[in-house]
Amino acid sequence: MNLSPVAFEILFALLSVKVSSAINRKLYRKFREAGIEVTPEQWTVMHYLWTKDGVTQQELCTHTFKDKPSMTRLIDNLVKAGFVNRQASPLDRRINLIYLTEKGKMSEAKIQPVVTENIKSALDGVSDQEFLIIQSALSKIFSNIKSSLKV
């Protein structure tokens, strides 16, 4: 690819900061308007647990691309809010498994429609063809970054 340094800088800013920050800011606002007391970061953890409950903190780190200290803080706050709890693994008591509480499970029905609407709003005016191109390009970029992180 033959992009100028300025084009690379703009592309990086759009991909890494502006779009993500704008989506998260709007999602945070929509959560508050709906009376949902979770942050977009906490939602990423809960979203993974809605698909696969009872996982290790390390698995959550891997799938959400959060570091261990950040994940510990996120889980601590979700425990305080009553959405998740920690339980010792029956195979290795040194490992805690993270489970949704009943409140955490029930919250999916209220949270997911807000997230879906936020995504639809962000994609307003994007054609199916444009979406497929964006999806393909971002998947390649993500794959490149992900494989470069495996050391």
Side-chain angles (χ1 to χ4, degrees):
M1 178 174 287
N2 232 355
L3 290 177
S4 71
V6 173
F8 272 120
E9 193 173 305
I10 291 169
L11 180 64
F12 182 77
L14 285 172
L15 290 176
S16 66
V17 180
K18 291 181 181 181
V19 173
S20 178
S21 294
I23 289 171
N24 279 334
R25 186 177 305 146
K26 185 173 180 186
L27 185 56
Y28 184 83
R29 185 177 299 149
K30 292 297 182 183
F31 281 168
R32 292 298 159 263
E33 289 172 4
I36 297 168
E37 295 299 322
V38 298
T39 66
E41 280 188 317
Q42 291 169 331
W43 167 75
T44 63
V45 172
M46 293 176 67
H47 183 267
Y48 187 75
L49 291 171
W50 289 326
T51 61
K52 187 177 178 188
D53 202 12
V55 298
T56 65
Q57 183 171 321
Q58 183 56 51
E59 185 171 342
L60 287 170
C61 289
T62 300
H63 287 278
T64 61
F65 291 89
K66 305 273 185 231
D67 59 33
K68 288 181 182 183
S70 295
M71 184 57 65
T72 297
R73 179 184 47 81
L74 285 169
I75 293 170
D76 287 346
N77 289 330
L78 286 168
V79 168
K80 287 178 192 172
F83 289 108
V84 302
N85 62 43
R86 290 179 173 100
Q87 295 178 20
S89 168
L91 303 175
D92 185 344
R93 296 195 51 80
R94 296 171 295 176
I95 298 173
N96 284 319
L97 300 178
I98 312 303
Y99 288 93
L100 289 163
T101 61
E102 197 58 37
K103 178 181 177 181
K105 291 175 186 173
M106 299 299 287
S107 67
E108 181 179 13
K110 186 174 183 180
I111 294 173
Q112 281 307 113
V114 174
V115 173
T116 299
E117 184 55 38
N118 198 52
I119 293 168
K120 285 182 181 178
S121 174
L123 293 172
D124 188 38
V126 176
S127 71
D128 290 346
Q129 183 180 5
E130 289 170 323
F131 177 78
L132 292 174
I133 292 167
I134 292 166
Q135 182 183 29
S136 175
L138 289 176
S139 292
K140 287 176 186 176
I141 291 167
F142 183 71
S143 180
N144 291 342
I145 293 169
K146 189 175 170 185
S147 64
S148 73
L149 290 173
K150 293 179 182 176
V151 179

